[in-house]
């Protein structure tokens, strides 16, 4: 998909293109990676007016349940009225749509003196939430990062807080490194109450400017990292497994594509993991937080032109630390799986949700 879109962007600026991606929705294991392709149309169509693109999940093995929906969606693409992500179950059509809700309290899922693992925990959002857990819950936090050691300044900040912290150098995409890290946690603490997967990379180049290696690197931390972290923590009696995604997975990322696709994978992986939990193959509720731009933290666009464009078009305002942490606690304690905490221009926001 990436190769074709790059070629079309470079060499076909005028011809009208209808691009429909179909996949077997019945194959549960493959569903998250195929649904991740839904990040492509959101990112590319605003920059390629000649492109109409959609992703369709097909449930059923009768030829009619495959051919009829594809014909329908191709017709809608040609008419310019298609949705970007659709699924069909026995010819019944469903579209992907977000809606505004207020979280309703279900259970308190943060423990006093709990033990929590945070990937990407030595900087950005990971570090912010580590400090919060230590301050508010006197928690033991295990911070994972790719650097050989934590920065001295960061260590000093954490040392003055209640609770405990431990830094373990490990690349969340490397299963051997992660297995050693989880063994160390099991031997030292014997328990793990929650996981926050905050690790991620962002490359601001457009899809046409970045190499395949750069594109794959962005995907890896979110896709491979999520799979590895879930697999290796599946035997712990978790209270929650929280994934930090991005609003880009729902609204696009202005032509970068890799970041939207990577985070769309996380969104759909959460649904797959909840199915595993329902079958008693996982413990701990799965939560996805599709964070918008943070004031001074996270994977923001650093206040550049893309930042301004995103805020103007969507109606979002920057999310401050207090509001973000409050949204995290509310979402964690609610029955919701997917959440995009939003503050800003209500009229513009309702146009999207």
């Amino acid at each position: 998909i990436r190769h074709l879109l790059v070629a079309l962007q470079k060499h076909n600026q005028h011809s009208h293109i209808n691009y429909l991606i179909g996949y077997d929705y019945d194959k549960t294991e493959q569903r998250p990676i195929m649904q991740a392709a839904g990040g492509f149309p959101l990112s590319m169509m605003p920059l390629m007016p000649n492109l109409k693109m959609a992703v369709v999940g097909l449930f059923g093995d009768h030829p009619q349940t495959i051919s009829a929906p594809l014909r329908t969606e191709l017709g809608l693409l040609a008419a310019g009225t298609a949705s970007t992500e659709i699924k069909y179950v026995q010819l019944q059509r469903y579209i992907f749509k977000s809606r505004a809700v207020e979280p309703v309290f279900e259970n308190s899922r943060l423990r006093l003196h709990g033990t929590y693992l945070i990937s990407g925990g030595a900087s950005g959002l990971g570090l912010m939430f580590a400090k919060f857990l230590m301050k508010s819950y006197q928690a033991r936090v295990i911070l994972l990062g790719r650097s050989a050691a934590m920065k001295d300044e960061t260590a000093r900040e954490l040392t003055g807080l209640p609770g405990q912290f431990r830094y373990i150098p490990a690349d969340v995409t490397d299963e051997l490194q992660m297995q050693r890290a989880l063994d160390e946690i099991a031997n030292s603490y014997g328990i793990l109450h929650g996981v926050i997967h905050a690790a991620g990379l962002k490359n601001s180049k457009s899809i046409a400017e970045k190499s395949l290696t750069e594109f794959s690197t962005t995907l890896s931390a979110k896709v491979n990292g999520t799979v590895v972290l879930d697999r290796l923590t599946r035997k712990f009696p978790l209270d929650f497994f929280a994934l930090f995604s991005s609003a880009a997975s729902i609204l696009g990322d202005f032509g970068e594509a890799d970041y939207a696709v990577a985070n769309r994978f996380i969104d759909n992986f959460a649904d797959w993991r909840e199915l595993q939990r329902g079958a008693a193959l996982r413990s701990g509720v799965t939560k996805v937080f599709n964070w918008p731009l943070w004031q001074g933290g996270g994977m923001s666009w650093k206040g550049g032109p893309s930042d301004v464009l995103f805020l103007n078009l969507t109606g979002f305002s920057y999310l401050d630390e207090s509001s973000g942490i409050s949204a995290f606690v509310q979402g964690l304690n609610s029955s919701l799986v997917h959440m995009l905490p939003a503050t800003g221009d209500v009229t513009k926001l309702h146009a999207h949700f």
Side-chain angles (χ1 to χ4, degrees):
I1 298 170
R2 178 255 177 199
H3 290 309
L4 182 55
L5 287 172
V6 169
L8 291 173
Q9 191 175 39
K10 288 182 176 179
H11 305 295
N12 192 336
Q13 297 291 326
H14 305 293
S15 300
H16 186 77
I17 305 159
N18 294 326
Y19 188 1
L20 187 64
I21 301 168
Y23 67 92
D24 187 349
Y25 191 81
D26 195 29
K27 294 183 177 178
T28 309
E29 291 281 347
Q30 299 178 12
R31 198 182 295 166
I33 197 67
M34 294 307 300
Q35 288 176 307
F40 281 110
L42 297 167
S43 300
M44 301 309 298
M45 288 198 303
L47 302 182
M48 298 177 65
N50 59 323
L51 173 68
K52 302 299 178 187
M53 186 176 182
V55 179
V56 187
L58 303 167
F59 188 94
D61 54 9
H62 190 278
Q64 182 66 9
T65 64
I66 298 173
S67 61
L70 292 178
R71 287 196 300 269
T72 297
E73 295 307 320
L74 282 171
L76 292 173
L77 279 178
T81 57
S83 299
T84 58
E85 189 171 346
I86 313 101
K87 74 174 179 180
Y88 280 83
V89 179
Q90 302 302 332
L91 300 181
Q92 181 67 46
R93 185 175 188 263
Y94 299 88
I95 63 171
F96 174 84
K97 186 172 178 60
S98 301
R99 59 191 177 90
V101 296
E102 288 289 337
V104 177
F105 180 84
E106 184 179 58
N107 288 305
S108 180
R109 295 193 169 98
L110 289 171
R111 300 170 181 246
L112 190 66
H113 307 300
T115 302
Y116 301 106
L117 172 66
I118 306 178
S119 70
S123 62
L125 292 186
L127 181 59
M128 179 193 300
F129 280 93
K131 291 177 180 178
F132 161 69
L133 291 171
M134 292 176 71
K135 289 177 183 177
S136 301
Y137 294 90
Q138 292 80 60
R140 296 184 296 191
V141 294
I142 299 99
L143 311 176
L144 299 182
R146 292 181 300 162
S147 300
M150 178 183 285
K151 292 180 179 178
D152 291 341
E153 180 183 351
T154 303
R156 284 194 296 270
E157 288 180 38
L158 295 175
T159 300
L161 300 177
Q164 303 172 37
F165 76 94
R166 184 172 189 168
Y167 178 77
I168 300 178
D171 183 342
V172 74
T173 67
D174 187 313
E175 190 152 358
L176 288 177
Q177 290 184 30
M178 286 298 297
Q179 184 63 68
R180 286 194 292 268
L182 268 297
D183 288 344
E184 186 175 334
I185 292 168
N187 292 333
S188 298
Y189 305 109
I191 192 68
L192 192 60
H193 296 117
V195 173
I196 297 176
H197 181 29
L201 297 170
K202 191 173 188 301
N203 186 325
S204 59
K205 294 179 183 177
S206 73
I207 189 174
E209 294 171 328
K210 68 186 67 169
S211 67
L212 179 58
T213 299
E214 290 174 315
F215 190 93
S216 300
T217 298
T218 300
L219 294 184
S220 183
K222 295 294 186 183
V223 177
N224 298 341
T226 299
V227 171
V228 168
L229 199 51
D230 168 69
R231 183 185 299 136
L232 297 183
T233 59
R234 69 186 184 275
K235 293 182 180 179
F236 286 94
L238 302 175
D239 295 325
F240 65 87
F241 187 87
L243 298 165
F244 282 7
S245 181
S246 167
S249 74
I250 298 170
L251 301 170
D253 60 12
F254 301 101
E256 295 172 22
D258 53 357
Y259 196 62
V261 170
N263 284 289
R264 181 57 74 92
F265 171 84
I266 283 183
D267 297 353
N268 292 293
F269 184 88
D271 294 325
W272 175 84
R273 190 180 182 280
E274 281 296 274
L275 291 176
Q276 303 305 298
R277 188 171 72 91
L281 297 174
R282 298 291 190 278
S283 63
V285 295
T286 316
K287 300 287 181 176
V288 179
F289 294 88
N290 295 87
W291 298 117
L293 297 177
W294 285 77
Q295 187 70 53
M299 294 285 180
S300 76
W301 280 271
K302 309 301 181 187
S306 295
D307 219 359
V308 175
L309 181 62
F310 177 84
L311 297 174
N312 287 340
L313 289 177
T314 62
F316 281 97
S317 60
Y318 284 110
L319 189 64
D320 63 79
E321 181 174 337
S322 176
S323 299
I325 287 175
S326 175
F328 173 77
V329 174
Q330 288 182 60
L332 199 63
N333 294 338
S334 76
S335 60
L336 300 173
V337 175
H338 302 270
M339 290 148 283
L340 194 170
T343 58
D345 185 322
V346 174
T347 301
K348 283 187 177 181
L349 288 171
H350 277 302
H352 293 283
F353 309 107

